[in-house]
Amino acid sequence: MQLNGAQAVLKALEHEGVDTVFGMPGGAILPVYDPLIESSIRHILVRHEQGAGHMASGYAHATGRPGVAVVTSGPAATNMVTPLLDAYMDSIPMVCITGQVALPAIGTDAFQEADTTGITMSATKHNYLVTDVNDIPQIIHDAFHLATTGRPGPVLVDIPKDLVLPSAELEWYTPTGHDLPGYNPVMDGDPAAIAQAARMICEAERPVIYSGGGILRSRAAEVLLELAEMTGIPVVTTLMNRGGFPDDHELCLGMPGMHGNYTAVMAMQEADLLIALGSRFDDRVTGDRGSFAPDAKVIHVDIDPAELGKVRHAHVPIAGDAKSIIAGLNGAIRSLGGAEAQPDRTAWRTTLSGWQEKYPLTYEEHQPGERLKPQAVVEQLRDNTPDDTIVVAGVGQHQMWASQYWKFNHPYTWINSGGLGTMGYAVPAAIGAQVGQPDRMVWAVDGDGCFQMTCQELTTAALEKIPVKIAILNNSYLGMVRQWQELFYDERYSETHLDTLPDFKMMAESMGCVGFRVDSPEEVEATIQKANEVDDRPVVVDFRTLEDEKVYPMVPAGASNSELLVDPSQREG
Amino acid sequence: MSAPENCDLHTIVVLVENKSGVLARIAGLFSRRGFNIESLAVAPTDDERFSRITIVVDVSSTSIDQVVKQLDKLVNVLEIRELDPATSVERELLMVTVAAATPESRREIIDLVQIFDAQVLNVGFKELMVSVAGSPRRLDDFEALLGRYGIVEMQRTGKIALSELVKVDPTA
């Protein structure tokens, strides 16, 4: 079958099972947009290329399938750098197609030329500059393979314009294998190491399962549940694995780290064994590395061998896929006696439940006349939405409150920017999640600072009738920065006050959304109900929240996790 | 006398796909991760699809394990071998222009050239250009001995290395 390069790009995407792409046309990618009219692929026209990238990421988070973004060359490609790096840090499978100036023009500083592969080299798992039209089917096939296997990540394919013009023809072929001689991700863990890990687990007196985003990427939530229930070992779920183990489960300790709850943080500090499953000892989890979990031996399971020993020495490092290794671990523990082989851990359980009782997550009651308590808004959202609602956050205080106060009982219900900490992630990622899961309710919990970075995509959602819901916890500040200024910079609020403009309700309405503004606690629940009923366009709810509310607990930057600051009401003396 | 071996310097030999941009990926990885390259030599192998890169890495601030694992994540990298200096044969080429203004210094330099199995490549009215190939330590010695005459310009290639061969037939 004779195709031109543009048709081959679309056929290759269809062949990979792509149903939706997020993008925006422009000069160099223009030829690819012409056959798109006849293609079965749905195209979501964004208002800014960064939006396309985060939408693809939200789609991938919510569905497990790779998200695809298509944009043009130069500034469009540079606008894609943030979403690519965001997806790279959080191991999200994504494929990005960028237009490039024609091959003979490369290197001449042509109009809208950028060294896209050079610029994105450190923001992608791998990238390609296509130099022969005949390579298009194979490279796109390889790009999807790279994005979705091993440690997932974003892959970029840069295609010069002369290779997609109608004059650039090729004989279509369906690639049968991959041209990747240097790519062999390890999947199965070393059985000897798994057996050793099983023995260590059965001997540990104060073990903690430290579960990270790798659980969700490898779809290992079920085997994790089995491991925890068989051994009775408590589980902390990092910011990237909220929902990977049910919050309502008695063994769930919740989120550890800088804003983790007291029990999760201290359980890791006092543990004699950390069973790290798809987690990477991020600095936001460990605090000061030298004083982190000083007595713990470490079993570290990760699909990326470079994570093993990168930050913390692992006594038993196991490279491979979390799901397959945890299943192997479960078998090995079962053969040692399973639940029967576990030592008496009553003292450890008592310590943990004592902490849970003494230091639950808490905040002060709302006082009459005050603006809303942001934590209460999150709790009311949680209590007035379906159990499997997908929650999407930006970055900052609102993100931490959403992670702390929501109850995540299902995998793939929590989407946020963990590694890169990209403000503005929530609105486009929520749109992508809703496109991928049209039958589920999707609520973004956003901040007023984040919202103003990417809210132009609400127009996209309104025109596409994507009924995503946005709750802005609007405290008129860059809240997390303000919190640091209050605690560590003598309350000198340098450039964090955003004031009360714009009017988000009016702004939402002008973009084709339903807009609400909520000032008093009595209106919160009713407004959420009204928002839930909208199913044909986006809804924005501007919750006017307290400006000086802080996220607790908190480990000050650089401090030991043992110096965790709990809520002022829980402090002694 | 030779300077003691710097044990922070490790030699790794990396087999890569011979594609454009691969060297940039490796250089980018080193700078991004804060790894230090002491020297680097690249050339195609006997199979034109692949190139071999010999990198001497300074591991005083990072572990060689991390360097190898991060390199291995690059999609175009096929194979990485760490060469132990004790069991590998190393070679490097040095070219140097040295001041030889007086007949005595010219005579002494030519003596050194003979002792080191070096070659005079070019003769000027007050300078000599010489080259020597050998182990990096031998080149260090040669360079040190020429220093007193005044080095005008010098270039070293960075070392290349192969594993030492097995001396005894293991099946015999």
Side-chain angles (χ1 to χ4, degrees), chain A residues 88 117 121-122 124-128 146 151 179-184 304-310, chain B residues 17 19-22 24-26 28 32-33 50 63 65-66 69-70 72-78:
Chain A
Y88 192 34
T117 48
M121 207 169 264
S122 60
T124 53
K125 181 171 172 180
H126 193 58
N127 61 21
Y128 290 94
L146 287 170
R151 182 176 183 170
D179 179 23
L180 298 165
Y183 181 70
N184 303 294
D304 181 355
E307 290 300 342
L308 306 175
K310 184 182 82 175
Chain B
E17 286 184 85
K19 288 184 172 170
S20 71
V22 174
R25 287 181 202 278
I26 289 178
R32 177 160 64 99
R33 298 272 174 193
F50 308 114
S63 76
D65 184 53
Q66 261 301 299
K69 283 170 164 178
Q70 293 292 351
D72 200 31
K73 282 168 70 169
L74 295 176
V75 168
N76 301 122
V77 169
L78 278 84

